[in-house]
PDB file of all heavy atoms in Angstrom:
ATOM      1  N   ALA A   1       0.814  -1.227  -0.026  1.00 90.00           N
ATOM      2  CA  ALA A   1      -0.015  -0.061   0.036  1.00 90.00           C
ATOM      3  C   ALA A   1       0.857   1.235   0.009  1.00 90.00           C
ATOM      4  O   ALA A   1       0.510   2.224  -0.709  1.00 90.00           O
ATOM      5  CB  ALA A   1      -0.906   0.005   1.191  1.00 90.00           C
ATOM      6  N   SER A   2       2.001   1.249   0.701  1.00 88.00           N
ATOM      7  CA  SER A   2       2.854   2.385   0.755  1.00 88.00           C
ATOM      8  C   SER A   2       3.511   2.659  -0.595  1.00 88.00           C
ATOM      9  O   SER A   2       3.658   3.769  -1.035  1.00 88.00           O
ATOM     10  CB  SER A   2       3.975   2.145   1.786  1.00 88.00           C
ATOM     11  OG  SER A   2       3.448   2.136   3.046  1.00 88.00           O
ATOM     12  N   LEU A   3       3.837   1.521  -1.294  1.00 85.00           N
ATOM     13  CA  LEU A   3       4.372   1.709  -2.652  1.00 85.00           C
ATOM     14  C   LEU A   3       3.364   2.262  -3.629  1.00 85.00           C
ATOM     15  O   LEU A   3       3.737   3.220  -4.364  1.00 85.00           O
ATOM     16  CB  LEU A   3       4.862   0.283  -3.185  1.00 85.00           C
ATOM     17  CG  LEU A   3       6.117  -0.260  -2.571  1.00 85.00           C
ATOM     18  CD1 LEU A   3       6.326  -1.661  -3.082  1.00 85.00           C
ATOM     19  CD2 LEU A   3       7.319   0.680  -2.900  1.00 85.00           C
ATOM     20  N   TYR A   4       2.185   1.694  -3.648  1.00 87.00           N
ATOM     21  CA  TYR A   4       1.079   2.236  -4.425  1.00 87.00           C
ATOM     22  C   TYR A   4       0.816   3.662  -4.170  1.00 87.00           C
ATOM     23  O   TYR A   4       0.649   4.559  -5.057  1.00 87.00           O
ATOM     24  CB  TYR A   4      -0.169   1.413  -4.370  1.00 87.00           C
ATOM     25  CG  TYR A   4      -0.216   0.251  -5.309  1.00 87.00           C
ATOM     26  CD1 TYR A   4      -0.106  -1.051  -4.884  1.00 87.00           C
ATOM     27  CD2 TYR A   4      -0.468   0.426  -6.701  1.00 87.00           C
ATOM     28  CE1 TYR A   4      -0.212  -2.138  -5.730  1.00 87.00           C
ATOM     29  CE2 TYR A   4      -0.562  -0.647  -7.525  1.00 87.00           C
ATOM     30  CZ  TYR A   4      -0.403  -1.967  -7.062  1.00 87.00           C
ATOM     31  OH  TYR A   4      -0.478  -2.949  -7.909  1.00 87.00           O
ATOM     32  N   ALA A   5       0.645   3.957  -2.939  1.00 87.00           N
ATOM     33  CA  ALA A   5       0.317   5.349  -2.386  1.00 87.00           C
ATOM     34  C   ALA A   5       1.469   6.244  -2.851  1.00 87.00           C
ATOM     35  O   ALA A   5       1.199   7.427  -3.220  1.00 87.00           O
ATOM     36  CB  ALA A   5       0.083   5.358  -0.942  1.00 87.00           C
ATOM     37  N   GLY A   6       2.674   5.882  -2.726  1.00 83.00           N
ATOM     38  CA  GLY A   6       3.802   6.687  -3.046  1.00 83.00           C
ATOM     39  C   GLY A   6       3.794   7.081  -4.503  1.00 83.00           C
ATOM     40  O   GLY A   6       3.946   8.268  -4.901  1.00 83.00           O
ATOM     41  N   TYR A   7       3.568   6.128  -5.308  1.00 84.00           N
ATOM     42  CA  TYR A   7       3.400   6.334  -6.784  1.00 84.00           C
ATOM     43  C   TYR A   7       2.275   7.240  -7.150  1.00 84.00           C
ATOM     44  O   TYR A   7       2.281   8.150  -7.944  1.00 84.00           O
ATOM     45  CB  TYR A   7       3.431   5.103  -7.628  1.00 84.00           C
ATOM     46  CG  TYR A   7       4.799   4.511  -7.812  1.00 84.00           C
ATOM     47  CD1 TYR A   7       5.157   3.273  -7.297  1.00 84.00           C
ATOM     48  CD2 TYR A   7       5.873   5.226  -8.467  1.00 84.00           C
ATOM     49  CE1 TYR A   7       6.428   2.721  -7.461  1.00 84.00           C
ATOM     50  CE2 TYR A   7       7.080   4.630  -8.595  1.00 84.00           C
ATOM     51  CZ  TYR A   7       7.350   3.476  -8.106  1.00 84.00           C
ATOM     52  OH  TYR A   7       8.620   2.888  -8.291  1.00 84.00           O
ATOM     53  N   LEU A   8       1.092   6.981  -6.607  1.00 86.00           N
ATOM     54  CA  LEU A   8      -0.087   7.752  -6.774  1.00 86.00           C
ATOM     55  C   LEU A   8       0.147   9.211  -6.315  1.00 86.00           C
ATOM     56  O   LEU A   8      -0.260  10.128  -6.961  1.00 86.00           O
ATOM     57  CB  LEU A   8      -1.353   7.180  -6.197  1.00 86.00           C
ATOM     58  CG  LEU A   8      -1.889   5.956  -6.875  1.00 86.00           C
ATOM     59  CD1 LEU A   8      -2.826   5.197  -5.884  1.00 86.00           C
ATOM     60  CD2 LEU A   8      -2.547   6.318  -8.140  1.00 86.00           C
ATOM     61  N   PHE A   9       0.747   9.358  -5.127  1.00 85.00           N
ATOM     62  CA  PHE A   9       1.074  10.606  -4.528  1.00 85.00           C
ATOM     63  C   PHE A   9       2.005  11.390  -5.464  1.00 85.00           C
ATOM     64  O   PHE A   9       1.918  12.558  -5.631  1.00 85.00           O
ATOM     65  CB  PHE A   9       1.749  10.417  -3.202  1.00 85.00           C
ATOM     66  CG  PHE A   9       1.983  11.699  -2.529  1.00 85.00           C
ATOM     67  CD1 PHE A   9       0.903  12.358  -1.862  1.00 85.00           C
ATOM     68  CD2 PHE A   9       3.268  12.241  -2.389  1.00 85.00           C
ATOM     69  CE1 PHE A   9       1.193  13.507  -1.121  1.00 85.00           C
ATOM     70  CE2 PHE A   9       3.525  13.435  -1.681  1.00 85.00           C
ATOM     71  CZ  PHE A   9       2.443  14.034  -1.050  1.00 85.00           C
ATOM     72  N   GLY A  10       3.055  10.668  -6.023  1.00 81.00           N
ATOM     73  CA  GLY A  10       3.936  11.318  -6.981  1.00 81.00           C
ATOM     74  C   GLY A  10       3.285  11.887  -8.224  1.00 81.00           C
ATOM     75  O   GLY A  10       3.572  12.884  -8.677  1.00 81.00           O
ATOM     76  N   ASP A  11       2.290  11.070  -8.681  1.00 82.00           N
ATOM     77  CA  ASP A  11       1.583  11.596  -9.919  1.00 82.00           C
ATOM     78  C   ASP A  11       0.760  12.762  -9.552  1.00 82.00           C
ATOM     79  O   ASP A  11       0.624  13.770 -10.274  1.00 82.00           O
ATOM     80  CB  ASP A  11       0.641  10.413 -10.423  1.00 82.00           C
ATOM     81  CG  ASP A  11       1.262   9.527 -11.369  1.00 82.00           C
ATOM     82  OD1 ASP A  11       2.369   9.833 -11.775  1.00 82.00           O
ATOM     83  OD2 ASP A  11       0.665   8.560 -11.764  1.00 82.00           O
ATOM     84  N   LEU A  12       0.088  12.747  -8.309  1.00 84.00           N
ATOM     85  CA  LEU A  12      -0.731  13.908  -7.987  1.00 84.00           C
ATOM     86  C   LEU A  12       0.087  15.183  -7.614  1.00 84.00           C
ATOM     87  O   LEU A  12      -0.423  16.258  -7.877  1.00 84.00           O
ATOM     88  CB  LEU A  12      -1.540  13.520  -6.771  1.00 84.00           C
ATOM     89  CG  LEU A  12      -2.768  12.643  -6.922  1.00 84.00           C
ATOM     90  CD1 LEU A  12      -3.444  12.375  -5.616  1.00 84.00           C
ATOM     91  CD2 LEU A  12      -3.713  13.251  -7.832  1.00 84.00           C
ATOM     92  N   MET A  13       1.300  14.906  -7.135  1.00 82.00           N
ATOM     93  CA  MET A  13       2.065  16.175  -6.764  1.00 82.00           C
ATOM     94  C   MET A  13       3.036  16.663  -7.841  1.00 82.00           C
ATOM     95  O   MET A  13       3.740  17.614  -7.586  1.00 82.00           O
ATOM     96  CB  MET A  13       2.885  15.742  -5.493  1.00 82.00           C
ATOM     97  CG  MET A  13       2.074  15.613  -4.230  1.00 82.00           C
ATOM     98  SD  MET A  13       1.399  17.172  -3.896  1.00 82.00           S
ATOM     99  CE  MET A  13       0.168  16.757  -2.637  1.00 82.00           C
ATOM    100  N   LYS A  14       3.038  16.023  -9.021  1.00 80.00           N
ATOM    101  CA  LYS A  14       3.914  16.581 -10.104  1.00 80.00           C
ATOM    102  C   LYS A  14       3.416  18.023 -10.419  1.00 80.00           C
ATOM    103  O   LYS A  14       2.270  18.223 -10.648  1.00 80.00           O
ATOM    104  CB  LYS A  14       3.755  15.669 -11.245  1.00 80.00           C
ATOM    105  CG  LYS A  14       4.610  14.416 -11.182  1.00 80.00           C
ATOM    106  CD  LYS A  14       5.229  14.205 -12.567  1.00 80.00           C
ATOM    107  CE  LYS A  14       5.860  12.869 -12.559  1.00 80.00           C
ATOM    108  NZ  LYS A  14       7.007  12.691 -11.674  1.00 80.00           N
ATOM    109  N   GLY A  15       4.424  18.895 -10.319  1.00 73.00           N
ATOM    110  CA  GLY A  15       4.124  20.291 -10.619  1.00 73.00           C
ATOM    111  C   GLY A  15       5.337  21.051 -10.963  1.00 73.00           C
ATOM    112  O   GLY A  15       6.337  20.445 -11.468  1.00 73.00           O
ATOM    113  N   ARG A  16       5.344  22.338 -10.622  1.00 72.00           N
ATOM    114  CA  ARG A  16       6.456  23.089 -10.968  1.00 72.00           C
ATOM    115  C   ARG A  16       7.710  22.757 -10.172  1.00 72.00           C
ATOM    116  O   ARG A  16       8.801  22.919 -10.599  1.00 72.00           O
ATOM    117  CB  ARG A  16       6.114  24.616 -10.688  1.00 72.00           C
ATOM    118  CG  ARG A  16       5.263  25.184 -11.756  1.00 72.00           C
ATOM    119  CD  ARG A  16       5.151  26.642 -11.529  1.00 72.00           C
ATOM    120  NE  ARG A  16       4.505  26.927 -10.248  1.00 72.00           N
ATOM    121  CZ  ARG A  16       4.160  28.104  -9.875  1.00 72.00           C
ATOM    122  NH1 ARG A  16       4.265  29.220 -10.583  1.00 72.00           N
ATOM    123  NH2 ARG A  16       3.586  28.251  -8.762  1.00 72.00           N
ATOM    124  N   PHE A  17       7.559  22.336  -8.925  1.00 69.00           N
ATOM    125  CA  PHE A  17       8.653  22.177  -8.035  1.00 69.00           C
ATOM    126  C   PHE A  17       8.941  20.736  -7.718  1.00 69.00           C
ATOM    127  O   PHE A  17      10.146  20.478  -7.316  1.00 69.00           O
ATOM    128  CB  PHE A  17       8.423  22.919  -6.633  1.00 69.00           C
ATOM    129  CG  PHE A  17       8.264  24.349  -6.837  1.00 69.00           C
ATOM    130  CD1 PHE A  17       7.001  24.926  -6.782  1.00 69.00           C
ATOM    131  CD2 PHE A  17       9.308  25.165  -7.044  1.00 69.00           C
ATOM    132  CE1 PHE A  17       6.785  26.240  -6.924  1.00 69.00           C
ATOM    133  CE2 PHE A  17       9.196  26.521  -7.289  1.00 69.00           C
ATOM    134  CZ  PHE A  17       7.910  27.090  -7.150  1.00 69.00           C
ATOM    135  N   TYR A  18       8.100  19.845  -7.983  1.00 67.00           N
ATOM    136  CA  TYR A  18       8.338  18.433  -7.671  1.00 67.00           C
ATOM    137  C   TYR A  18       8.279  17.528  -8.884  1.00 67.00           C
ATOM    138  O   TYR A  18       7.301  17.508  -9.643  1.00 67.00           O
ATOM    139  CB  TYR A  18       7.323  17.921  -6.615  1.00 67.00           C
ATOM    140  CG  TYR A  18       7.537  16.485  -6.208  1.00 67.00           C
ATOM    141  CD1 TYR A  18       8.657  16.147  -5.510  1.00 67.00           C
ATOM    142  CD2 TYR A  18       6.671  15.490  -6.575  1.00 67.00           C
ATOM    143  CE1 TYR A  18       8.906  14.773  -5.142  1.00 67.00           C
ATOM    144  CE2 TYR A  18       6.928  14.160  -6.218  1.00 67.00           C
ATOM    145  CZ  TYR A  18       7.967  13.882  -5.498  1.00 67.00           C
ATOM    146  OH  TYR A  18       8.221  12.559  -5.125  1.00 67.00           O
ATOM    147  N   ARG A  19       9.369  16.761  -9.109  1.00 67.00           N
ATOM    148  CA  ARG A  19       9.484  15.893 -10.295  1.00 67.00           C
ATOM    149  C   ARG A  19       9.877  14.494  -9.816  1.00 67.00           C
ATOM    150  O   ARG A  19      10.739  13.899 -10.304  1.00 67.00           O
ATOM    151  CB  ARG A  19      10.449  16.395 -11.246  1.00 67.00           C
ATOM    152  CG  ARG A  19      10.239  17.732 -11.708  1.00 67.00           C
ATOM    153  CD  ARG A  19       9.524  17.834 -13.011  1.00 67.00           C
ATOM    154  NE  ARG A  19       9.484  19.173 -13.577  1.00 67.00           N
ATOM    155  CZ  ARG A  19       8.293  19.738 -13.749  1.00 67.00           C
ATOM    156  NH1 ARG A  19       7.219  19.226 -13.473  1.00 67.00           N
ATOM    157  NH2 ARG A  19       8.334  20.903 -14.295  1.00 67.00           N
ATOM    158  N   GLY A  20       9.077  13.891  -8.847  1.00 65.00           N
ATOM    159  CA  GLY A  20       9.422  12.630  -8.269  1.00 65.00           C
ATOM    160  C   GLY A  20       8.973  11.481  -9.056  1.00 65.00           C
ATOM    161  O   GLY A  20       8.529  11.644 -10.278  1.00 65.00           O
ATOM    162  N   PRO A  21       9.024  10.318  -8.564  1.00 61.00           N
ATOM    163  CA  PRO A  21       8.614   9.092  -9.257  1.00 61.00           C
ATOM    164  C   PRO A  21       7.115   9.050  -9.500  1.00 61.00           C
ATOM    165  O   PRO A  21       6.352   9.636  -8.699  1.00 61.00           O
ATOM    166  CB  PRO A  21       9.090   7.923  -8.397  1.00 61.00           C
ATOM    167  CG  PRO A  21       9.114   8.530  -7.032  1.00 61.00           C
ATOM    168  CD  PRO A  21       9.561  10.003  -7.218  1.00 61.00           C
ATOM    169  N   SER A  22       6.742   8.501 -10.652  1.00 59.00           N
ATOM    170  CA  SER A  22       5.260   8.420 -10.920  1.00 59.00           C
ATOM    171  C   SER A  22       5.032   6.963 -11.269  1.00 59.00           C
ATOM    172  O   SER A  22       5.866   6.139 -11.324  1.00 59.00           O
ATOM    173  CB  SER A  22       4.970   9.324 -12.120  1.00 59.00           C
ATOM    174  OG  SER A  22       5.544   8.837 -13.332  1.00 59.00           O
ATOM    175  N   LEU A  23       3.731   6.679 -11.452  1.00 61.00           N
ATOM    176  CA  LEU A  23       3.345   5.331 -11.881  1.00 61.00           C
ATOM    177  C   LEU A  23       3.833   4.911 -13.228  1.00 61.00           C
ATOM    178  O   LEU A  23       3.753   3.661 -13.595  1.00 61.00           O
ATOM    179  CB  LEU A  23       1.853   5.277 -11.788  1.00 61.00           C
ATOM    180  CG  LEU A  23       1.248   5.135 -10.452  1.00 61.00           C
ATOM    181  CD1 LEU A  23      -0.249   5.284 -10.449  1.00 61.00           C
ATOM    182  CD2 LEU A  23       1.548   3.820  -9.860  1.00 61.00           C
ATOM    183  N   LEU A  24       4.243   5.888 -14.042  1.00 62.00           N
ATOM    184  CA  LEU A  24       4.660   5.499 -15.387  1.00 62.00           C
ATOM    185  C   LEU A  24       5.894   4.631 -15.281  1.00 62.00           C
ATOM    186  O   LEU A  24       6.258   3.808 -16.172  1.00 62.00           O
ATOM    187  CB  LEU A  24       4.943   6.761 -16.180  1.00 62.00           C
ATOM    188  CG  LEU A  24       3.724   7.445 -16.550  1.00 62.00           C
ATOM    189  CD1 LEU A  24       4.119   8.787 -17.372  1.00 62.00           C
ATOM    190  CD2 LEU A  24       2.713   6.756 -17.343  1.00 62.00           C
ATOM    191  N   ALA A  25       6.703   4.732 -14.181  1.00 60.00           N
ATOM    192  CA  ALA A  25       7.852   3.958 -14.047  1.00 60.00           C
ATOM    193  C   ALA A  25       7.503   2.439 -13.733  1.00 60.00           C
ATOM    194  O   ALA A  25       8.330   1.538 -13.936  1.00 60.00           O
ATOM    195  CB  ALA A  25       8.738   4.502 -12.921  1.00 60.00           C
ATOM    196  N   ALA A  26       6.310   2.166 -13.374  1.00 61.00           N
ATOM    197  CA  ALA A  26       5.874   0.844 -13.025  1.00 61.00           C
ATOM    198  C   ALA A  26       5.369   0.057 -14.204  1.00 61.00           C
ATOM    199  O   ALA A  26       4.956  -1.051 -14.051  1.00 61.00           O
ATOM    200  CB  ALA A  26       4.812   0.939 -11.916  1.00 61.00           C
ATOM    201  N   GLY A  27       5.309   0.649 -15.390  1.00 67.00           N
ATOM    202  CA  GLY A  27       4.686   0.086 -16.525  1.00 67.00           C
ATOM    203  C   GLY A  27       3.373   0.592 -16.970  1.00 67.00           C
ATOM    204  O   GLY A  27       3.078   1.765 -16.735  1.00 67.00           O
ATOM    205  N   ASN A  28       2.572  -0.393 -17.506  1.00 70.00           N
ATOM    206  CA  ASN A  28       1.234   0.053 -17.983  1.00 70.00           C
ATOM    207  C   ASN A  28       0.245   0.162 -16.807  1.00 70.00           C
ATOM    208  O   ASN A  28      -0.252  -0.940 -16.326  1.00 70.00           O
ATOM    209  CB  ASN A  28       0.737  -0.914 -18.989  1.00 70.00           C
ATOM    210  CG  ASN A  28      -0.552  -0.451 -19.685  1.00 70.00           C
ATOM    211  OD1 ASN A  28      -1.054   0.575 -19.291  1.00 70.00           O
ATOM    212  ND2 ASN A  28      -0.967  -1.233 -20.658  1.00 70.00           N
ATOM    213  N   ILE A  29      -0.040   1.357 -16.323  1.00 71.00           N
ATOM    214  CA  ILE A  29      -0.841   1.566 -15.154  1.00 71.00           C
ATOM    215  C   ILE A  29      -2.293   1.432 -15.407  1.00 71.00           C
ATOM    216  O   ILE A  29      -3.062   1.145 -14.505  1.00 71.00           O
ATOM    217  CB  ILE A  29      -0.513   2.942 -14.409  1.00 71.00           C
ATOM    218  CG1 ILE A  29      -0.794   3.981 -15.392  1.00 71.00           C
ATOM    219  CG2 ILE A  29       0.855   2.888 -13.983  1.00 71.00           C
ATOM    220  CD1 ILE A  29      -0.841   5.336 -14.734  1.00 71.00           C
ATOM    221  N   ASP A  30      -2.697   1.622 -16.634  1.00 70.00           N
ATOM    222  CA  ASP A  30      -4.116   1.524 -16.922  1.00 70.00           C
ATOM    223  C   ASP A  30      -4.696   0.155 -16.734  1.00 70.00           C
ATOM    224  O   ASP A  30      -5.940   0.066 -16.554  1.00 70.00           O
ATOM    225  CB  ASP A  30      -4.356   1.979 -18.359  1.00 70.00           C
ATOM    226  CG  ASP A  30      -4.000   3.420 -18.589  1.00 70.00           C
ATOM    227  OD1 ASP A  30      -4.120   4.233 -17.614  1.00 70.00           O
ATOM    228  OD2 ASP A  30      -3.514   3.794 -19.693  1.00 70.00           O
ATOM    229  N   ARG A  31      -3.938  -0.862 -16.611  1.00 80.00           N
ATOM    230  CA  ARG A  31      -4.527  -2.241 -16.517  1.00 80.00           C
ATOM    231  C   ARG A  31      -4.354  -2.739 -15.114  1.00 80.00           C
ATOM    232  O   ARG A  31      -4.766  -3.838 -14.811  1.00 80.00           O
ATOM    233  CB  ARG A  31      -3.686  -3.143 -17.452  1.00 80.00           C
ATOM    234  CG  ARG A  31      -4.027  -2.776 -18.872  1.00 80.00           C
ATOM    235  CD  ARG A  31      -3.167  -3.366 -19.939  1.00 80.00           C
ATOM    236  NE  ARG A  31      -2.828  -4.740 -19.842  1.00 80.00           N
ATOM    237  CZ  ARG A  31      -1.996  -5.307 -20.666  1.00 80.00           C
ATOM    238  NH1 ARG A  31      -1.457  -4.615 -21.679  1.00 80.00           N
ATOM    239  NH2 ARG A  31      -1.720  -6.561 -20.617  1.00 80.00           N
ATOM    240  N   ASP A  32      -3.838  -1.949 -14.144  1.00 83.00           N
ATOM    241  CA  ASP A  32      -3.628  -2.349 -12.761  1.00 83.00           C
ATOM    242  C   ASP A  32      -4.918  -2.254 -12.026  1.00 83.00           C
ATOM    243  O   ASP A  32      -5.522  -1.201 -12.014  1.00 83.00           O
ATOM    244  CB  ASP A  32      -2.528  -1.539 -12.086  1.00 83.00           C
ATOM    245  CG  ASP A  32      -2.095  -2.170 -10.845  1.00 83.00           C
ATOM    246  OD1 ASP A  32      -2.829  -1.951  -9.868  1.00 83.00           O
ATOM    247  OD2 ASP A  32      -1.040  -2.743 -10.713  1.00 83.00           O
ATOM    248  N   LYS A  33      -5.355  -3.353 -11.380  1.00 89.00           N
ATOM    249  CA  LYS A  33      -6.633  -3.334 -10.682  1.00 89.00           C
ATOM    250  C   LYS A  33      -6.670  -2.355  -9.511  1.00 89.00           C
ATOM    251  O   LYS A  33      -7.654  -1.716  -9.299  1.00 89.00           O
ATOM    252  CB  LYS A  33      -6.927  -4.777 -10.135  1.00 89.00           C
ATOM    253  CG  LYS A  33      -8.098  -4.917  -9.374  1.00 89.00           C
ATOM    254  CD  LYS A  33      -8.242  -6.328  -8.815  1.00 89.00           C
ATOM    255  CE  LYS A  33      -9.282  -6.271  -7.725  1.00 89.00           C
ATOM    256  NZ  LYS A  33      -9.278  -7.290  -6.856  1.00 89.00           N
ATOM    257  N   VAL A  34      -5.592  -2.288  -8.764  1.00 89.00           N
ATOM    258  CA  VAL A  34      -5.622  -1.363  -7.540  1.00 89.00           C
ATOM    259  C   VAL A  34      -5.696   0.021  -7.999  1.00 89.00           C
ATOM    260  O   VAL A  34      -6.402   0.848  -7.416  1.00 89.00           O
ATOM    261  CB  VAL A  34      -4.273  -1.681  -6.761  1.00 89.00           C
ATOM    262  CG1 VAL A  34      -4.171  -0.601  -5.613  1.00 89.00           C
ATOM    263  CG2 VAL A  34      -4.308  -2.987  -6.181  1.00 89.00           C
ATOM    264  N   VAL A  35      -4.925   0.409  -9.102  1.00 88.00           N
ATOM    265  CA  VAL A  35      -4.938   1.830  -9.558  1.00 88.00           C
ATOM    266  C   VAL A  35      -6.292   2.156 -10.113  1.00 88.00           C
ATOM    267  O   VAL A  35      -6.860   3.241  -9.855  1.00 88.00           O
ATOM    268  CB  VAL A  35      -3.836   2.035 -10.629  1.00 88.00           C
ATOM    269  CG1 VAL A  35      -3.900   3.438 -11.271  1.00 88.00           C
ATOM    270  CG2 VAL A  35      -2.383   1.863  -9.963  1.00 88.00           C
ATOM    271  N   LYS A  36      -6.925   1.263 -10.838  1.00 90.00           N
ATOM    272  CA  LYS A  36      -8.238   1.520 -11.292  1.00 90.00           C
ATOM    273  C   LYS A  36      -9.308   1.641 -10.190  1.00 90.00           C
ATOM    274  O   LYS A  36     -10.117   2.519 -10.204  1.00 90.00           O
ATOM    275  CB  LYS A  36      -8.696   0.320 -12.172  1.00 90.00           C
ATOM    276  CG  LYS A  36      -8.182   0.199 -13.511  1.00 90.00           C
ATOM    277  CD  LYS A  36      -8.881  -0.943 -14.214  1.00 90.00           C
ATOM    278  CE  LYS A  36      -8.216  -1.291 -15.529  1.00 90.00           C
ATOM    279  NZ  LYS A  36      -8.866  -2.541 -16.147  1.00 90.00           N
ATOM    280  N   THR A  37      -9.155   0.861  -9.186  1.00 92.00           N
ATOM    281  CA  THR A  37     -10.082   0.972  -8.040  1.00 92.00           C
ATOM    282  C   THR A  37      -9.968   2.288  -7.285  1.00 92.00           C
ATOM    283  O   THR A  37     -10.909   2.925  -6.968  1.00 92.00           O
ATOM    284  CB  THR A  37      -9.828  -0.244  -7.047  1.00 92.00           C
ATOM    285  OG1 THR A  37      -9.951  -1.488  -7.717  1.00 92.00           O
ATOM    286  CG2 THR A  37     -10.789  -0.272  -5.929  1.00 92.00           C
ATOM    287  N   VAL A  38      -8.629   2.601  -7.039  1.00 92.00           N
ATOM    288  CA  VAL A  38      -8.401   3.904  -6.310  1.00 92.00           C
ATOM    289  C   VAL A  38      -8.851   5.094  -7.150  1.00 92.00           C
ATOM    290  O   VAL A  38      -9.475   5.978  -6.606  1.00 92.00           O
ATOM    291  CB  VAL A  38      -6.903   3.943  -5.870  1.00 92.00           C
ATOM    292  CG1 VAL A  38      -6.570   5.343  -5.392  1.00 92.00           C
ATOM    293  CG2 VAL A  38      -6.517   2.965  -4.958  1.00 92.00           C
ATOM    294  N   ARG A  39      -8.434   5.212  -8.375  1.00 91.00           N
ATOM    295  CA  ARG A  39      -8.873   6.316  -9.154  1.00 91.00           C
ATOM    296  C   ARG A  39     -10.278   6.351  -9.455  1.00 91.00           C
ATOM    297  O   ARG A  39     -10.884   7.360  -9.737  1.00 91.00           O
ATOM    298  CB  ARG A  39      -8.059   6.320 -10.461  1.00 91.00           C
ATOM    299  CG  ARG A  39      -6.622   6.686 -10.319  1.00 91.00           C
ATOM    300  CD  ARG A  39      -5.843   6.855 -11.564  1.00 91.00           C
ATOM    301  NE  ARG A  39      -4.487   7.381 -11.364  1.00 91.00           N
ATOM    302  CZ  ARG A  39      -3.570   7.369 -12.234  1.00 91.00           C
ATOM    303  NH1 ARG A  39      -3.805   6.873 -13.382  1.00 91.00           N
ATOM    304  NH2 ARG A  39      -2.435   7.879 -11.903  1.00 91.00           N
ATOM    305  N   GLY A  40     -10.989   5.231  -9.419  1.00 92.00           N
ATOM    306  CA  GLY A  40     -12.422   5.178  -9.743  1.00 92.00           C
ATOM    307  C   GLY A  40     -13.274   5.448  -8.435  1.00 92.00           C
ATOM    308  O   GLY A  40     -14.523   5.648  -8.572  1.00 92.00           O
TER     309      GLY A  40
END
């Protein structure tokens, strides 16, 4: 859960000052069940 939350948090916080890891580093995120559930 910490790993998923960290990547989701990185995607949400991407902006002018923060360029941290995102879910794109984990591969195809659109097919992940957990990501779909959380974003839905």
Side-chain angles (χ1 to χ4, degrees):
S2 293
L3 289 171
Y4 273 107
Y7 279 120
L8 287 165
F9 185 79
D11 273 352
L12 286 177
M13 288 297 168
K14 278 218 189 301
R16 285 189 296 190
F17 299 103
Y18 181 68
R19 304 265 188 241
S22 70
L23 281 171
L24 294 177
N28 190 356
I29 59 166
D30 295 328
R31 294 165 46 185
D32 192 284
K33 178 187 167 202
V34 174
V35 173
K36 280 185 195 177
T37 305
V38 169
R39 286 188 174 164

